[in-house]
Amino acid sequence: MHLHKFEKIWLVFGIISLIVFLSIVGVTAFSQDHHPSGGMDTIDPKKVDQTAPFDNPGVTQIDDDTYQVAIVASAFSYTAPELRVPAGKEIIFKVTSKDVVHSFTIDDTKVNMMVVPGQITTRAYTFDKPGKYLILCNEYCGTGHHFMFTEIEVY
Ligand code: CUA
């Protein structure tokens, strides 16, 4: 069988495109098997109050240098009694939402977490300076959005 020169070129081009396409699809599918960095754990948003650590929100000391802070976001507040953590220690924030998408943003820091119902968002942060920091919602979540804030004290 005799192929015209241009047919040959297009045939080769077609095969190469197919290989490239399949590789991209394969790599994408493979990488989706991995958790995104930052670790997204799932949670039943209807059972937040019964699921650890959110059944007992607030500050828990894990070891000498690490504290965990569990916080539940819901329209339009954060369930987080008495947030007091030391400066210079690693604070692991774990936040989830019971209803819609909120954010957990600590003013004057790089902490700006998206809080999505059904997911636990985790972020570690070390405060350098003691003081009171404003925690607020940066994600429009309804009529009370502007009143959604709380405070954390760093000592
Ligand atoms: Cu919660 Cu805006």
Side-chain angles (χ1 to χ4, degrees):
M1 193 175 97
H2 177 78
L3 283 175
H4 192 273
K5 190 182 168 195
F6 285 111
E7 281 176 13
K8 253 189 210 165
I9 290 170
W10 281 110
L11 191 64
V12 169
F13 179 75
I15 289 167
I16 291 170
S17 306
L18 189 66
I19 290 167
V20 168
F21 176 73
L22 288 176
S23 311
I24 291 168
V25 170
V27 167
T28 310
F30 175 74
S31 57
Q32 277 171 355
D33 278 346
H34 296 266
H35 286 287
S37 60
M40 282 286 190
D41 291 319
T42 55
I43 184 171
D44 183 342
K46 293 191 191 73
K47 291 187 182 147
V48 168
D49 291 333
Q50 295 98 282
T51 309
F54 304 105
D55 54 346
N56 185 22
V59 182
T60 313
Q61 184 165 7
I62 293 177
D63 59 39
D64 284 352
D65 298 308
T66 322
Y67 290 72
Q68 178 180 277
V69 179
I71 289 164
V72 178
S74 61
F76 301 97
S77 65
Y78 298 101
T79 306
E82 277 288 303
L83 288 182
R84 289 185 80 245
V85 295
K89 307 278 184 183
E90 186 179 50
I91 315 297
I92 300 166
F93 291 98
K94 283 184 179 278
V95 192
T96 192
S97 168
K98 280 175 158 182
D99 40 41
V100 296
V101 175
H102 301 277
S103 92
F104 181 85
T105 306
I106 308 178
D107 207 21
D108 267 339
T109 71
K110 286 184 178 131
V111 178
N112 187 13
M113 300 153 71
M114 181 93 127
V115 184
V116 181
Q119 292 182 351
I120 301 169
T121 312
T122 303
R123 171 83 153 83
Y125 188 74
T126 304
F127 291 92
D128 300 327
K129 290 190 298 250
K132 286 188 174 175
Y133 293 77
L134 184 66
I135 296 171
L136 51 103
C137 182
N138 250 347
E139 201 69 39
Y140 185 75
C141 52
T143 50
H145 164 71
H146 297 287
F147 303 105
M148 188 164 171
F149 61 88
T150 187
E151 201 175 55
I152 186 165
E153 188 184 344
V154 179
Y155 58 90

